[in-house]
Amino acid sequence: MSVKPPLVERVKKRIRAPVFAVPLLVRCACLCALSLLGLVACPSDDDDDVPIDLSGPCELDSLAGRFRVERQEQFPVIDGSVANGVVPVTILEELEVVGPCKLLRRNNPFCDPACEPNFTCDFDGSCIPFPENQDVGTVTITGLAELVEMEPVEPGNRYFDTSLSDPLFQPEDEIVLEAAGEALDGFRLEGIGSDVLELAEDATILVEEGEIILVEWPAPTTEVPATIELELTIDQHGNSPVRIQCELEDTGAAELPAEVADALLNAGVSGFPNAVLSRRTVDSTSAGGLCVELVVGSPRSPDVRVGGHTPCDEPDDCPDGLTCDLAINTCI
Amino acid sequence: MAYTTVNNITSAEDFVFDLEGNVLSIDPQGNLVSSNQLGQTSLVVPGVVADAAGMSMLPDGTIVVASPATGSLVTITPEGGTTTLLSGIAYPNGVEVHRDGWIAVSEHDAGVVRRVDPKTGEFIILAEGLWNPNGVSFSPDYSTLYVNSFGGGTVHSIALTETGAASDPVLLGELDEDSGTPPPWGNDPWLSSCDGLNSGDSCELIDQAGTCVNWDGSLYCDAPDPFAAACASLSEGDSCTLLTESGTCSDWGWGLMCDNASWWGGEGGGLDGMAVDGCGNVYVTEFGTGKIWRWSADGVGPDLVAEMPSYWIPNMDFGVGVGGWDTERMWVIDRDTDQIFGLDIGVPGRPLAHQ
């Protein structure tokens, strides 16, 4: 027996995510080898400390491309793509802002009749060409354990490399991505390596109505201007696709206001809770009149518990007075 | 029923057996990964989709994945090239490939099942008017498509012809464990509370105030969940009241809600994944309970096949006989933890399109 999950409620709105401008002093010292190939201009010795801006993430309604340089839990990952437009359904509606967090909802645009192949539905009910990934030429990434050069993979003009050294980067590594340009003009993005986010095996985020949400992670050992991004979703199965997205200072812990838990729970819960916690830097720039970003970080997935639901695999997992119902992995 | 457990398989909504003994799936970071029974997992193609629901494999080895976040079907060639085959799908969920190469995809939020050309993305509607269609699977001779309902507790069959025509869906079976008398607010208060109203009008969802909003051509009341609100200041096991109805505050995995088994007559069962064995029996997983149900091809059932120690077993498939994935075992993925259960069914699955 299961409670019927709440149904979807969606309206047509778009959000504009804040752009974080993080001034930085980044030593520019690692590009001389590339300069010999004519790919990168080599700074003079006088430019040893070059102030740069990490421009932060793109706004969702202009986010056409993303490259990731990540030390994921199982693998080092580099991938990315740049499209010539934004898929409307990826533009999330900002329902509420609470402290450092935003409550976001995915709204599915509706077109009748349904759009033909190579088209997608916009929020005004019209079918628009589905954004296509573009060839941006050779993409080179320096500052990692090894030089990475990527060509677009057809079909789809996606860039990736699955033969990477591990660890991919170290804290304070200065990472530069350059696209040579082809169908779109070239661009340059920067990032900084940070301590890999190693969560405790039992790291858990508890979401309870009316309660502060405590998020903990190991504080960094190096001074890198990275932030912690938390994405928290309780609702699944398409019934109420709402998520919490928080940008947190990298201090090792954060207390999210109780209003965050209430906002998420009030949006409806119908499925498996999950979260991604990521220590990262984000830079962005213009490409083809839209926005492309570089994320350098280490995402991890802590367990999430919704109030009243205590997961278990054996009797000892449960608090006093409760037993483990193995059929549903829940202390009852 | 006896089962084995294989650990260190990436947690995912669905998976595909390749013919080299690997489980291919999309991990939580959106990477296409390959896992085997030795516990080894390798990266195949990073970042192919933002999220993934159903997946299947075309005869040429191309993988097709449903991406709810972008409302699209994405194909991934063996060389790693990706194409958005079709978009604008309102929560694409179950995906299965016919032996003739076309793709069946359930469109959960629109109540339809589409037949999609794997080369052009052109589609026709095979069935419509379904309630939350979720898992899909074919009969052994590929003349019938089965589709289940998440929340409706039903399995329907759709007869197919070689010309591509399809019959109206016919009820194959229905979970009856939750049968009872629907409550005063009916089976779908989110929808019925906006009957006769317009978008933007105020509505009352049982005892909660909201506004009617348009979604897919229908109006839904966007009020706070009354079932959660009724237990807001109560504890699990406490009695709760909704209008004149009494229930008990229960947590089935998504927080405390006021619940009464009799309220969900004919609507129980978060039916999820689906598979068909070589004899034509239809297997369905149930979200939240870890149960696996079986109906015969002529609708006899449901029989409870197994109750797995997990509350989310989103999909399953029979082994392909390579890499330890026995053909007479049905392999059930556990999204709760990184493992797959192998159930001794005793008969193989139907032949797959890529076999």
Side-chain angles (χ1 to χ4, degrees):
Chain A
M1 154 77 222
S2 61
V3 175
K4 178 180 167 48
L7 293 179
V8 62
E9 319 110 18
R10 301 168 224 211
V11 293
K12 300 171 183 174
K13 289 183 183 174
R14 301 183 183 195
I15 80 157
R16 294 180 67 84
V19 171
F20 299 89
V22 185
L24 293 176
L25 270 180
V26 177
R27 295 182 305 279
C28 180
C30 57
L31 302 177
C32 290
L34 283 176
S35 72
L36 298 176
L37 302 174
L39 294 174
V40 177
C42 184
S44 70
D45 290 342
D46 294 340
D47 295 333
D48 231 18
D49 291 321
V50 179
I52 64 168
D53 284 340
L54 285 183
S55 297
C58 299
E59 297 179 357
L60 286 180
D61 61 1
S62 65
L63 176 59
R66 176 186 289 132
F67 285 85
R68 301 185 302 171
V69 176
E70 291 183 336
R71 291 178 65 177
Q72 296 186 2
E73 194 144 18
Q74 287 186 295
F75 331 96
V77 165
I78 291 180
D79 69 344
S81 60
V82 184
N84 59 358
V86 182
V87 180
V89 72
T90 63
I91 303 171
L92 306 180
E93 176 194 0
E94 186 177 297
L95 297 176
E96 200 171 341
V97 177
V98 182
C101 302
K102 295 177 291 189
L103 183 67
L104 303 172
R105 177 165 64 189
R106 188 186 75 226
N107 297 311
N108 282 353
F110 176 65
C111 289
D112 186 16
C115 300
E116 295 298 313
N118 303 318
F119 286 81
T120 190
C121 189
D122 203 351
F123 288 108
D124 63 1
S126 65
C127 293
I128 61 172
F130 191 90
E132 292 185 355
N133 288 342
Q134 302 295 299
D135 182 350
V136 294
T138 302
V139 169
T140 306
I141 305 178
T142 58
L144 302 174
E146 59 189 303
L147 176 69
V148 173
E149 284 190 333
M150 300 179 292
E151 300 294 334
V153 176
E154 291 287 358
N157 282 320
R158 291 188 68 258
Y159 293 82
F160 61 87
D161 189 336
T162 57
S163 59
L164 300 167
S165 299
D166 194 13
L168 188 56
F169 57 75
Q170 298 290 349
E172 301 185 277
D173 279 350
E174 299 152 6
I175 296 158
V176 176
L177 181 150
E178 291 205 323
E182 186 68 37
L184 298 179
D185 289 342
F187 53 83
R188 172 189 170 102
L189 291 161
E190 297 167 320
I192 303 175
S194 52
D195 286 331
V196 69
L197 190 60
E198 299 287 9
L199 298 179
E201 197 168 315
D202 60 351
T204 301
I205 296 173
L206 178 61
V207 181
E208 289 186 294
E209 186 161 11
E211 299 289 337
I212 288 171
I213 301 174
L214 177 61
V215 186
E216 294 179 297
W217 64 92
T221 59
T222 52
E223 285 192 22
V224 169
T227 57
I228 296 290
E229 186 198 48
L230 170 66
E231 279 205 359
L232 178 59
T233 308
I234 295 179
D235 213 331
Q236 301 288 315
H237 273 105
N239 291 297
S240 184
V242 172
R243 71 180 61 177
I244 288 284
Q245 189 177 73
C246 309
E247 195 78 22
L248 308 172
E249 289 184 32
D250 192 3
T251 59
E255 289 187 349
L256 309 183
E259 289 81 3
V260 174
D262 293 348
L264 192 55
L265 294 171
N266 287 339
V269 286
S270 67
F272 195 79
N274 63 77
V276 176
L277 201 62
S278 179
R279 172 178 284 136
R280 63 183 200 161
T281 66
V282 189
D283 191 19
S284 58
T285 191
S286 173
L290 293 167
C291 187
V292 59
E293 64 187 24
L294 170 65
V295 178
V296 177
S298 50
R300 294 293 183 270
S301 300
D303 288 336
V304 182
R305 277 173 25 203
V306 179
H309 170 60
T310 306
C312 60
D313 292 317
E314 54 187 69
D316 289 347
D317 291 344
C318 295
D320 289 344
L322 298 179
T323 59
C324 183
D325 185 341
L326 286 175
I328 55 174
N329 284 110
T330 298
C331 298
I332 59 173
Chain B
M1 176 176 288
Y3 67 88
T4 59
T5 302
V6 178
N7 295 311
N8 298 318
I9 301 294
T10 296
S11 172
E13 174 98 5
D14 200 358
F15 65 98
V16 172
F17 287 117
D18 68 14
L19 301 183
E20 297 169 352
N22 302 305
V23 170
L24 300 175
S25 61
I26 305 293
D27 74 9
Q29 284 73 43
N31 307 311
L32 176 65
V33 299
S34 170
S35 307
N36 62 27
Q37 287 211 2
L38 301 176
Q40 300 163 327
T41 298
S42 58
L43 179 63
V44 181
V45 186
V48 289
V49 288
D51 64 347
M55 65 187 295
S56 192
M57 184 177 276
L58 296 168
D60 69 356
T62 295
I63 290 171
V64 56
V65 181
S67 173
T70 56
S72 59
L73 272 183
V74 175
T75 57
I76 310 159
T77 68
E79 295 75 32
T82 57
T83 301
T84 298
L85 183 65
L86 181 64
S87 72
I89 309 172
Y91 200 88
N93 197 300
V95 173
E96 201 73 15
V97 174
H98 191 273
R99 68 181 174 194
D100 291 341
W102 56 268
I103 302 159
V105 56
S106 64
E107 191 169 1
H108 185 281
D109 287 3
V112 309
V113 177
R114 300 197 199 195
R115 170 184 169 149
V116 182
D117 184 302
K119 300 294 184 191
T120 66
E122 293 172 338
F123 65 88
I124 59 173
I125 302 296
L126 284 178
E128 55 191 340
L130 300 167
W131 172 258
N132 288 355
N134 197 300
V136 290
S137 192
F138 292 102
S139 61
D141 63 0
Y142 284 85
S143 65
T144 301
L145 175 67
Y146 298 103
V147 55
N148 66 40
S149 166
F150 187 90
T154 57
V155 177
H156 284 83
S157 65
I158 301 164
L160 308 169
T161 71
E162 291 185 358
T163 62
S167 71
D168 289 336
V170 175
L171 184 67
L172 178 77
E174 185 173 9
L175 280 188
D176 57 5
E177 62 168 353
D178 300 327
S179 61
T181 304
W185 49 81
N187 282 329
D188 192 348
W190 287 267
L191 193 65
S192 59
S193 55
C194 285
D195 279 351
L197 300 178
N198 298 311
S199 181
D201 287 353
S202 297
C203 52
E204 188 166 0
L205 177 57
I206 303 182
D207 58 358
Q208 298 290 314
T211 304
C212 293
V213 296
N214 193 308
W215 167 240
D216 276 5
S218 298
L219 288 178
Y220 292 91
C221 190
D222 71 350
D225 189 328
F227 300 93
C231 290
S233 57
L234 300 174
S235 303
E236 187 156 18
D238 287 352
S239 296
C240 50
T241 303
L242 269 173
L243 300 183
T244 58
E245 299 286 311
S246 298
T248 303
C249 291
S250 308
D251 184 353
W252 299 92
W254 45 80
L256 212 55
M257 292 194 178
C258 195
D259 186 21
N260 183 319
S262 69
W263 294 347
W264 309 110
E267 288 228 350
L271 300 188
D272 208 340
M274 182 176 267
V276 175
D277 69 24
C279 301
N281 296 303
V282 179
Y283 300 79
V284 181
T285 63
E286 185 177 4
F287 174 80
T289 66
K291 292 177 179 176
I292 298 173
W293 301 94
R294 175 173 55 201
W295 283 268
S296 69
D298 54 3
V300 175
D303 298 324
L304 180 61
V305 176
E307 193 166 349
M308 312 311 299
S310 169
Y311 75 89
W312 197 354
I313 43 174
N315 254 300
M316 58 200 172
D317 222 332
F318 283 83
V320 291
V322 186
W325 305 109
D326 299 341
T327 57
E328 295 190 357
R329 278 186 175 155
M330 189 168 65
W331 299 92
V332 185
I333 196 161
D334 176 9
R335 189 159 174 177
D336 195 9
T337 59
D338 293 348
Q339 58 187 5
I340 277 185
F341 306 113
L343 283 162
D344 293 317
I345 299 297
V347 295
R350 63 166 169 78
L352 301 173
H354 66 281
Q355 279 184 299

